[in-house]
Amino acid sequence: MILRIILLSACIISSSCIASSNEWKVYIQRIEQADNKTLHAFPGKINNIGDALDDAHTEELTTALSMALIKDPISVINATSSLDKSTDALKQRFGTSMVCGMPLITHANQMEIEEYFAKAEPVLERAGTRAAECLRNMRDTIDEVRQETIQNPAK
C-alpha cells in the first residue's frame, strides 16, 4: 500500500505523467480555446512543468498557444510574455517570441502555414500595440518560410 501511494505521488508531481494523462488533453483544449482562466495560470504552470516536458508535448503546447493567439491575442501575449524574460531556456520555449514565430511550422505544410497566417494577421492588426511586435515577428517568420520555399522548391 505504501509503495502504491509513493508511486501515485510521484506520478502526480511528474510532468510526464500529467502530459500523458487525460488531464493533459483537457489542458491543451483549454489553451487552444483561449480559456481566460487557463491562460492566466499558464506562467505558473510552466514554472512547475515547463522544463520537464519532452519535445512532443512542448510542440503540442506551443501549437495550442498558436491556435489561442488567433482567438484572444492579448490574453496569450499577456500569458507568455513573462516567459521571454526567464533565464531558463526551457521555459523560454513557451514565451511570446516563440508563439509569434509560428511554432506550428515544424509540422505543417506550406498551405497550412499560409492559412494560419491569413487568419492571424488581421486579428493581430486589430489587437493594437501589444500585438504589433508579435505581428512583426510573425511576418518575419512567414517571409523566411516563403523565401526558403522559393529557394528550395519541393521536388
Side-chain angles (χ1 to χ4, degrees):
M1 181 68 167
I2 292 175
L3 180 60
R4 186 180 295 178
I5 292 171
I6 292 171
L7 288 173
L8 183 58
S9 297
C11 185
I12 289 170
I13 17 187
S14 165
S15 65
S16 61
C17 232
I18 291 170
S20 63
S21 72
N22 194 40
E23 269 183 60
W24 178 254
K25 291 176 186 161
V26 169
Y27 183 71
I28 292 297
Q29 288 172 341
R30 287 183 179 153
I31 292 288
E32 285 178 354
Q33 295 165 354
D35 178 75
N36 200 9
K37 188 184 278 187
T38 304
L39 288 173
H40 183 72
F42 180 74
K45 179 90 166 176
I46 291 305
N47 283 328
N48 290 329
I49 69 166
D51 57 350
L53 290 176
D54 62 19
D55 290 342
H57 289 101
T58 296
E59 183 178 321
E60 187 176 16
L61 183 52
T62 55
T63 300
L65 286 165
S66 292
M67 296 301 120
L69 184 67
I70 60 178
K71 293 177 179 135
D72 187 351
I74 298 304
S75 293
V76 172
I77 289 168
N78 288 340
T80 58
S81 62
S82 66
L83 298 169
D84 285 326
K85 299 172 189 134
S86 175
T87 57
D88 185 341
L90 294 175
K91 291 179 179 130
Q92 289 175 358
R93 301 178 295 176
F94 305 102
T96 304
S97 58
M98 174 59 88
V99 173
C100 296
M102 299 190 313
L104 65 105
I105 64 175
T106 60
H107 64 273
N109 63 41
Q110 182 69 30
M111 191 167 104
E112 291 167 330
I113 294 167
E114 293 290 347
E115 287 173 357
Y116 174 81
F117 182 70
K119 291 176 187 173
E121 187 175 35
V123 170
L124 291 170
E125 285 174 340
R126 288 189 303 269
T129 56
R130 289 277 310 182
E133 180 65 29
C134 181
L135 182 55
R136 276 191 296 279
N137 189 4
M138 193 173 288
R139 284 178 174 152
D140 290 345
T141 301
I142 195 77
D143 288 345
E144 288 176 26
V145 168
R146 289 171 178 161
Q147 190 62 34
E148 188 174 307
T149 302
I150 290 168
Q151 292 174 352
N152 302 312
K155 294 180 182 179

